[in-house]
């Protein structure tokens, strides 16, 4: 009987050992399989192949990280960011698999963060051991957390007709104030053309032209403060209105706002047809600086930095657009998604070669290569003052991001409406600021 019990016990021990051994083997094989398993990331972007060179860029990433495959989903074949945003929201609402999201501007990015669409990146950033504010030119922080890393870097700048500058005996500015900008525009208003052209505001859009002086600062540059209150009593908002009023009414150096609306003018035509000597615009224009078949460059072009408010201040601050690269909150592959985002916003930008990167560690040599590549795709790149362009793009800075409020569009329309009363002589500046501030504060109070 004892022998039988011993035999049963030994069999149980042997069976347990076999099962454990098999389990270890299965676990090991499973671990190796998991290690070698290729992860597919669903990447949603508004960018087209022509604008972003995706095949070359993604191929380079997959070569470096063979276990990560990137499945690109282009949300608009036209590169229309509004269409792309609508389709992205629809895909999210439908529960489609998502890993990497690209937002085209700060309002869209901040709004979708508030909707819970993006996951914070801070634990990955901490593990990598860098500070976003030091590593990149664009601050992507919202309420103390980073939900995205910036891709391209498109600061606003001033495009100048260098032939008009030469005729007026003016040099290309490397550092200037708004007062000097106004002096230049006044001196350039001659021979049948205006000194400058402002493309906005228009029906609540192109609102950058309503915060000219505000945008020259390192922080507090929006119509709303970081605490969600009206910023319209800021003296720099008044200064922005004064710039517009003085240039159009007193100096007559800017294209009249009434003409912009009634004639449906466009900044590209105004500048390239030499009807104006300068435009303040975003550096998405880099690819068009050398002209095209539709709008040839028949003059020499130079680039100046966005003006600052006072001579003793640091220069380079300007409105900036970027691509906000985020991890979808619903992603099951957050680590791999971060790997792609970090690579894309650093060395991936150099591989892509289509835009100026927001990454601070791009060497001067790489920057010049990218600029050469961008300019050489134009019709007449030799007419562009390349050194002035490099100087501006190298020294440009982004101000601190302020999260937009949910009713941002309504606020923009109010500011636009009251500005029109000012520019059409229906109310003075002080009245404009008082009424605009009251209306905007009402919107914020009733949100």
């Amino acid at each position: 009987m004892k022998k039988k019990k011993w035999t049963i016990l030994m069999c149980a021990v042997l069976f347990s050992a076999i099962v454990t051994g098999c389990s270890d083997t299965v676990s090991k094989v499973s671990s190796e399989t998991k290690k070698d398993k290729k992860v597919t990331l669903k990447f949603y972007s508004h960018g087209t192949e022509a604008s972003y060179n995706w095949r070359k860029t993604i191929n380079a990433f997959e070569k470096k990280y063979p276990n990560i495959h990137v499945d690109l989903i282009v949300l608009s074949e036209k590169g229309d960011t509004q269409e792309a945003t609508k389709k992205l929201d629809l895909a999210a609402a439908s529960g489609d698999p998502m890993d990497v999201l690209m937002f085209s501007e700060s309002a869209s990015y901040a709004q979708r963060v508030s909707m819970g669409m993006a996951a914070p990146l801070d634990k990955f950033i901490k593990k990598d051991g860098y500070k976003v504010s030091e590593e990149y030119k664009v601050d992507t922080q919202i309420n103390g957390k980073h939900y995205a890393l910036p891709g391209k870097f498109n600061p606003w700048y001033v495009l100048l007709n260098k032939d008009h500058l030469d005729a007026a005996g003016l040099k290309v500015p490397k550092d200037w104030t708004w007062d000097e900008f106004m002096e230049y525009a006044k001196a350039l208003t001659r021979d049948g053309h205006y000194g400058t052209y402002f493309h906005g505001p228009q029906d609540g859009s192109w609102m950058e032209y309503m915060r000219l002086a505000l945008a020259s600062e390192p922080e507090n540059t929006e119509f709303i403060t970081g605490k969600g209150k009206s910023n319209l009593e800021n003296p720099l908002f008044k200064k922005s209105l004064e710039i517009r009023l003085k240039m159009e009414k007193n100096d007559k150096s800017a294209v009249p706002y009434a003409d912009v609306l009634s004639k449906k003018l466009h900044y590209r035509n105004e500048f390239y047809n030499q009807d104006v000597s300068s435009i303040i615009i975003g550096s998405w224009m880099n690819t068009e600086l050398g002209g095209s078949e539709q709008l040839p460059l028949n003059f020499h072009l130079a680039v100046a930095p966005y003006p600052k408010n006072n001579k003793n201040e640091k220069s380079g601050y300007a409105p900036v657009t970027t691509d906000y690269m985020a991890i979808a909150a619903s992603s099951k592959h957050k680590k791999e998604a971060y790997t792609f985002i970090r690579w894309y916003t650093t060395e991936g930008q150099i591989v892509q070669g289509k835009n100026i990167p927001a990454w601070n560690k791009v060497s001067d040599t790489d920057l010049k290569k990218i600029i050469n590549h961008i300019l050489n795709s134009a019709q007449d790149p030799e007419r562009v003052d390349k050194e002035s362009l490099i100087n501006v793009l190298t020294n440009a800075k982004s101000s601190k991001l302020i999260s937009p409020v949910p009713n941002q569009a309504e606020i923009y329309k109010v500011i636009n409406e009251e500005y029109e009363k000012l520019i059409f002589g229906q109310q003075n500046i002080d009245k404009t600021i008082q009424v605009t501030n009251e209306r905007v504060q009402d919107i914020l109070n009733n949100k």
Side-chain angles (χ1 to χ4, degrees):
M1 191 63 151
K2 286 183 180 179
K3 186 177 180 182
K4 187 177 180 181
K5 284 183 179 179
W6 177 253
T7 304
I8 291 169
L9 181 61
M10 284 300 292
C11 286
V13 170
L14 285 170
F15 178 74
S16 176
I18 291 167
V19 170
T20 303
C22 290
S23 177
D24 288 344
T25 305
V26 170
S27 178
K28 189 176 180 182
V29 170
S30 176
S31 176
E32 288 173 357
T33 304
K34 189 176 180 182
K35 186 179 177 182
D36 296 332
K37 187 180 178 183
K38 181 173 277 193
V39 168
T40 296
L41 299 178
K42 296 288 184 179
F43 170 31
Y44 290 76
S45 170
H46 61 82
T48 62
E49 174 62 29
S51 300
Y52 282 83
N53 217 354
W54 286 127
R55 286 191 202 93
K56 179 185 175 184
T57 307
I58 291 173
N59 284 344
F61 172 76
E62 291 179 346
K63 188 175 180 181
K64 184 167 183 178
Y65 297 94
N67 288 345
I68 305 175
H69 171 66
V70 179
D71 182 9
L72 174 68
I73 298 153
V74 176
L75 294 162
S76 173
E77 294 301 329
K78 300 174 291 185
D80 184 323
T81 54
Q82 287 186 323
E83 178 191 3
T85 301
K86 286 177 183 176
K87 287 186 176 178
L88 179 66
D89 289 345
L90 184 61
S94 301
D96 292 353
M98 292 180 162
D99 297 293
V100 177
L101 310 175
M102 176 189 269
F103 302 113
S104 61
E105 41 85 34
S106 60
S108 178
Y109 161 55
Q111 187 176 359
R112 272 133 201 93
V113 166
S114 69
M115 291 163 59
M117 196 182 287
L121 310 179
D122 299 273
K123 67 178 182 180
F124 298 111
I125 292 167
K126 186 178 180 180
K127 188 175 180 182
D128 274 0
Y130 66 89
K131 291 183 179 179
V132 172
S133 58
E134 294 174 0
E135 192 81 352
Y136 297 95
K137 290 184 174 74
V138 179
D139 184 359
T140 60
Q141 194 173 174
I142 294 178
N143 298 327
K145 291 183 179 181
H146 296 91
Y147 293 87
L149 296 179
K152 66 186 179 186
F153 180 67
N154 278 351
W156 280 50
Y157 50 26
V158 182
L159 299 185
L160 294 158
N161 184 317
K162 195 170 184 301
D163 295 349
H164 289 180
L165 285 181
D166 293 342
L170 298 170
K171 293 182 179 180
V172 178
K174 291 185 178 179
D175 184 28
W176 58 345
T177 63
W178 281 110
D179 287 339
E180 289 168 327
F181 171 79
M182 288 189 282
E183 288 169 11
Y184 264 63
K186 191 174 180 180
L188 289 166
T189 303
R190 50 188 283 173
D191 304 326
H193 57 253
Y194 286 95
T196 199
Y197 168 85
F198 298 110
H199 193 55
Q202 292 192 41
D203 194 27
S205 64
W206 293 98
M207 297 303 288
E208 289 85 358
Y209 295 103
M210 287 285 84
R211 57 185 188 96
L212 297 172
L214 272 171
S216 299
E217 298 294 301
E219 55 186 35
N220 202 26
T221 61
E222 298 285 349
F223 304 121
I224 307 300
T225 67
K227 294 181 179 179
K229 295 183 179 180
S230 170
N231 194 32
L232 299 178
E233 291 183 317
N234 187 319
L236 294 179
F237 176 63
K238 182 175 184 178
K239 181 175 179 177
S240 301
L241 296 179
E242 288 172 339
I243 291 169
R244 295 296 302 271
L245 206 59
K246 183 177 189 297
M247 295 186 76
E248 179 173 333
K249 303 299 184 182
N250 299 346
D251 298 346
K252 301 190 186 304
S253 59
V255 175
Y257 181 71
D259 288 358
V260 176
L261 299 183
S262 64
K263 296 179 182 178
K264 297 182 179 179
L265 300 178
H266 197 277
Y267 61 88
R268 285 183 176 90
N269 303 74
E270 289 296 289
F271 185 66
Y272 282 96
N273 291 339
Q274 303 192 69
D275 294 321
V276 300
S277 300
S278 69
I279 54 171
I280 301 174
I281 201 68
S283 56
W284 59 77
M285 287 295 293
N286 287 344
T287 56
E288 303 176 45
L289 294 186
S292 61
E293 285 185 21
Q294 293 79 18
L295 290 169
L297 181 63
N298 296 319
F299 54 92
H300 293 89
L301 181 152
V303 186
Y306 194 81
K308 59 186 184 181
N309 288 310
N310 300 299
K311 280 196 172 185
N312 58 352
E313 292 177 347
K314 284 186 179 180
S315 63
Y317 287 104
V320 170
T321 57
T322 189
D323 289 320
Y324 294 88
M325 302 295 297
I327 297 175
S330 60
S331 173
K332 295 179 181 177
H333 310 294
K334 289 184 174 66
K335 184 180 178 182
E336 291 83 359
Y338 171 77
T339 299
F340 174 68
I341 286 170
R342 176 65 171 152
W343 176 89
Y344 174 73
T345 59
T346 54
E347 60 188 276
Q349 289 292 292
I350 299 168
V351 171
Q352 196 169 60
K354 282 284 188 178
N355 297 290
I356 304 304
W359 190 34
N360 274 325
K361 293 184 180 177
V362 175
S363 68
D364 290 344
T365 303
D366 283 330
L367 183 62
K368 286 177 182 177
K369 281 180 183 176
I370 293 170
I371 290 171
N372 282 332
H373 179 73
I374 290 169
L375 290 179
N376 288 340
S377 62
Q379 203 171 40
D380 292 297
E382 69 282 352
R383 291 177 185 249
V384 179
D385 182 346
K386 196 189 301 179
E387 290 309 310
S388 68
L389 175 62
I390 291 171
N391 173 61
V392 169
L393 295 177
T394 303
N395 295 302
K397 305 177 189 73
S398 169
S399 56
K400 187 176 180 181
L401 177 66
I402 295 174
S403 302
V405 292
N407 32 24
Q408 193 89 17
E410 191 180 350
I411 288 169
Y412 284 171
K413 286 200 172 184
V414 164
I415 296 170
N416 198 151
E417 287 167 7
E418 296 303 325
Y419 170 72
E420 289 187 354
K421 292 176 188 175
L422 168 69
I423 206 71
F424 293 143
Q426 296 168 8
Q427 62 189 18
N428 62 25
I429 284 185
D430 290 335
K431 182 71 172 176
T432 299
I433 292 171
Q434 178 197 334
V435 175
T436 310
N437 185 60
E438 287 172 357
R439 290 184 66 188
V440 166
Q441 199 58 59
D442 282 345
I443 293 170
L444 292 169
N445 292 341
N446 296 319
K447 62 183 179 180

